[in-house]
């Protein structure tokens, strides 16, 4: 698997995202820039320039029309994917740490940080898709402050107005955004901060990664932990392969401790685990620092990882990958 190395960022990566078709890959980083790439050959399509701080998070809608990004400059921005133009900017008292589109592309949920006397907040904005997109409501449709541990990641579930969140204490919870009520929680989902959350294609289950060195599969409806993948390194990201029973995990020691360890000890590898049997089945090396984010192609043909080293690596799977028999001789019909 020869990776395509994408060199478009000067600082560490924070999040990667494929669009629905998988032909575009979006990356954001601490260098204030969002990039768009062609995923098949790694050619850069363009940049989204305008943030004045670390861009922590991004998401693209299902039609690849709008892109949203959240940054440490306390803004949430809406961009036109095709032109790179910033269409609208929402301003907040603190940094935006996570954004996510709803299934129907009509809403965006964002988490702002708890800092300087401001409580952490979850806001849901209605997105006006008419015209060029520059006419957006400035006020959130819903807003609430989660009580207790602050939220770090969030996403819409398959139930309207219900979002799932991951928290600093390690809990995962379901919130009704219309009332701000916590519908359900699992306080012991993780022992440390939840660093990433990605939902399955049908949103019936999701995977979380944590600094407690584990990644876990959860049932979206009950928040029950279905599977646990235990590693020996803090995890920053976890992704699900849409067609094969694999999960991809990435992490590594904190950047400040890296100088004292060799590459091998730093564990800067993408790990492949079997989703059902909870066994590690392979590793892919390459990064010179912790892996901060992993995204899997929606068609299951490749994956991308972004590291502390500022590089994005796109790996297209070899033919042998599709011929492997993850369940032995049992054939699963899609």
């Amino acid at each position: 698997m020869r990776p395509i190395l994408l060199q478009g960022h000067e600082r560490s990566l924070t999040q990667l995202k494929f669009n629905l078709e998988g032909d575009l890959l979006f990356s954001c980083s601490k260098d204030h820039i969002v990039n768009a790439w062609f995923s098949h050959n790694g050619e850069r399509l363009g940049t989204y320039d305008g943030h004045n701080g670390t861009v922590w998070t991004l998401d693209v809608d299902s039609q690849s029309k709008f892109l949203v990004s959240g940054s440490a400059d306390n803004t949430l921005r809406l961009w036109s994917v095709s032109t790179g133009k910033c269409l609208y900017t929402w301003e907040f008292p603190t940094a935006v740490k996570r954004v996510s589109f709803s299934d129907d592309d009509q809403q965006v949920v964002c988490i702002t940080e708890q800092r300087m006397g401001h409580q952490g907040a979850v806001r849901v904005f209605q997105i006006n898709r008419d015209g060029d997109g520059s006419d957006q409501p400035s006020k959130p449709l819903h807003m609430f402050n989660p009580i207790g541990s602050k939220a770090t990641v969030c996403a819409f579930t398959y139930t309207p107005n219900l979002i799932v969140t991951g928290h600093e204490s390690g809990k995962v919870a379901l919130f009704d955004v219309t009332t701000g009520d916590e519908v359900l929680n699992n306080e012991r989902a993780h022992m440390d901060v939840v660093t990433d959350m990605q939902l399955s294609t049908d949103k019936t289950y999701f995977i979380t990664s944590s600094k407690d060195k584990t990644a876990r599969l959860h049932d979206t409806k009950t928040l029950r932990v279905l599977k646990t993948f235990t590693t020996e390194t803090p995890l920053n990201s976890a992704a699900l392969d849409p067609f094969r029973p694999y999960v991809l995990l990435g992490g590594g020691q904190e950047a400040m401790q890296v100088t004292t360890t060799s590459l091998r000890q730093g564990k800067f590898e993408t790990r492949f685990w079997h989703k059902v049997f909870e066994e590690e089945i392979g590793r892919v090396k390459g990064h010179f620092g912790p892996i901060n984010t992993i995204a899997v192609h929606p068609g299951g043909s490749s994956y991308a990882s972004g590291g502390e080293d500022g590089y994005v690596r796109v790996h297209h799977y070899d033919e042998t990958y599709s011929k492997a028999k993850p369940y032995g001789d049992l054939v699963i019909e899609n």
Side-chain angles (χ1 to χ4, degrees), residues 111 114 120-122 144-154 163-175 182 184-187 189-197 206 208-212 223:
I111 290 177
Q114 181 177 327
V122 175
F144 63 93
N145 305 94
I147 312 288
S149 173
K150 73 178 185 187
T152 53
V153 289
C154 64
I163 63 162
V164 58
T165 57
H167 295 255
E168 209 170 42
S169 64
K171 86 166 176 178
V172 293
L174 288 170
F175 283 94
E182 194 174 289
L184 190 65
N185 70 40
N186 181 352
E187 293 280 356
H190 283 287
M191 300 294 124
D192 204 342
V193 56
V194 179
T195 51
D196 194 13
M197 171 191 290
F206 62 93
T208 54
S209 62
S210 169
K211 292 284 184 203
D212 68 3
L223 298 185

Side-chain angles (χ1 to χ4, degrees), residues 53-113:
T54 295
V55 185
W56 287 117
T57 173
L58 57 81
D59 199 10
V60 60
D61 69 11
S62 63
Q63 298 167 25
S64 303
K65 181 182 178 184
F66 293 145
L67 176 83
V68 285
S69 60
S71 166
D73 64 6
N74 302 355
T75 63
L76 171 70
R77 289 175 188 251
L78 184 74
W79 310 83
S80 162
V81 169
S82 55
T83 65
K85 189 174 159 213
C86 181
L87 304 172
Y88 197 85
T89 303
W90 291 272
E91 294 192 9
F92 309 112
T94 57
V96 181
K97 294 297 279 197
R98 193 72 168 202
V99 294
S100 184
F101 268 106
S102 61
D103 260 2
D104 58 5
D105 300 332
Q106 300 293 326
Q107 295 179 345
V108 164
V109 60
C110 75
I111 290 177
T112 53
E113 204 162 29

Side-chain angles (χ1 to χ4, degrees), residues 40-302:
H40 67 288
N41 63 1
E43 192 181 320
R44 182 153 60 170
L45 175 65
T47 59
Y48 302 85
D49 209 353
H51 279 296
N52 300 317
T54 295
V55 185
W56 287 117
T57 173
L58 57 81
D59 199 10
V60 60
D61 69 11
S62 63
Q63 298 167 25
S64 303
K65 181 182 178 184
F66 293 145
L67 176 83
V68 285
S69 60
S71 166
D73 64 6
N74 302 355
T75 63
L76 171 70
R77 289 175 188 251
L78 184 74
W79 310 83
S80 162
V81 169
S82 55
T83 65
K85 189 174 159 213
C86 181
L87 304 172
Y88 197 85
T89 303
W90 291 272
E91 294 192 9
F92 309 112
T94 57
V96 181
K97 294 297 279 197
R98 193 72 168 202
V99 294
S100 184
F101 268 106
S102 61
D103 260 2
D104 58 5
D105 300 332
Q106 300 293 326
Q107 295 179 345
V108 164
V109 60
C110 75
I111 290 177
T112 53
E113 204 162 29
Q114 181 177 327
R115 189 164 279 173
M116 298 176 298
H118 294 282
Q119 279 183 294
V122 175
R123 293 176 177 85
V124 176
F125 289 94
Q126 190 74 29
I127 299 296
N128 175 13
R129 301 187 66 82
D130 299 333
D132 65 353
S134 58
D135 180 27
Q136 298 295 338
S138 60
K139 295 275 186 287
L141 186 64
H142 308 296
M143 176 184 164
F144 63 93
N145 305 94
I147 312 288
S149 173
K150 73 178 185 187
T152 53
V153 289
C154 64
F156 282 98
T157 63
Y158 55 82
T159 312
N161 295 322
L162 207 61
I163 63 162
V164 58
T165 57
H167 295 255
E168 209 170 42
S169 64
K171 86 166 176 178
V172 293
L174 288 170
F175 283 94
D176 184 328
V177 292
T178 53
T179 61
D181 294 339
E182 194 174 289
V183 181
L184 190 65
N185 70 40
N186 181 352
E187 293 280 356
R188 314 296 290 164
H190 283 287
M191 300 294 124
D192 204 342
V193 56
V194 179
T195 51
D196 194 13
M197 171 191 290
Q198 297 193 25
L199 280 84
S200 63
T201 315
D202 60 4
K203 304 204 169 187
T204 53
Y205 63 95
F206 62 93
I207 190 163
T208 54
S209 62
S210 169
K211 292 284 184 203
D212 68 3
K213 306 184 180 180
T214 66
R216 292 198 159 121
L217 279 183
H218 311 259
D219 182 284
T220 309
K221 195 173 179 183
T222 62
L223 298 185
R224 196 165 61 88
V225 174
L226 306 171
K227 299 283 177 185
T228 300
F229 312 99
T230 308
T231 67
E232 66 283 5
T233 181
L235 294 175
N236 297 328
S237 192
L240 296 158
D241 192 307
F243 298 115
R244 303 187 73 71
Y246 302 137
V247 297
L248 286 71
L249 311 179
Q253 270 185 312
E254 290 295 331
M256 53 192 179
Q257 298 164 358
V258 166
T259 48
T260 59
T261 57
S262 71
L263 267 184
R264 181 74 199 155
Q265 281 177 301
K267 312 280 191 301
F268 310 133
E269 297 145 324
T270 303
R271 296 136 186 274
F272 284 73
W273 285 68
H274 198 292
K275 189 162 69 181
V276 181
F277 303 135
E278 299 176 83
E279 291 172 354
E280 188 172 351
I281 54 168
R283 293 186 184 189
V284 178
K285 291 204 284 277
H287 283 285
F288 294 101
I291 294 171
N292 291 340
T293 174
I294 293 178
V296 176
H297 190 287
S301 60
S302 62

Side-chain angles (χ1 to χ4, degrees), residues 8-21:
H9 291 288
E10 293 172 1
R11 295 189 58 199
S12 48
L13 272 292
T14 49
Q15 199 176 2
L16 295 173
K17 207 83 184 212
F18 282 98
N19 65 345
L20 187 65
E21 289 78 31

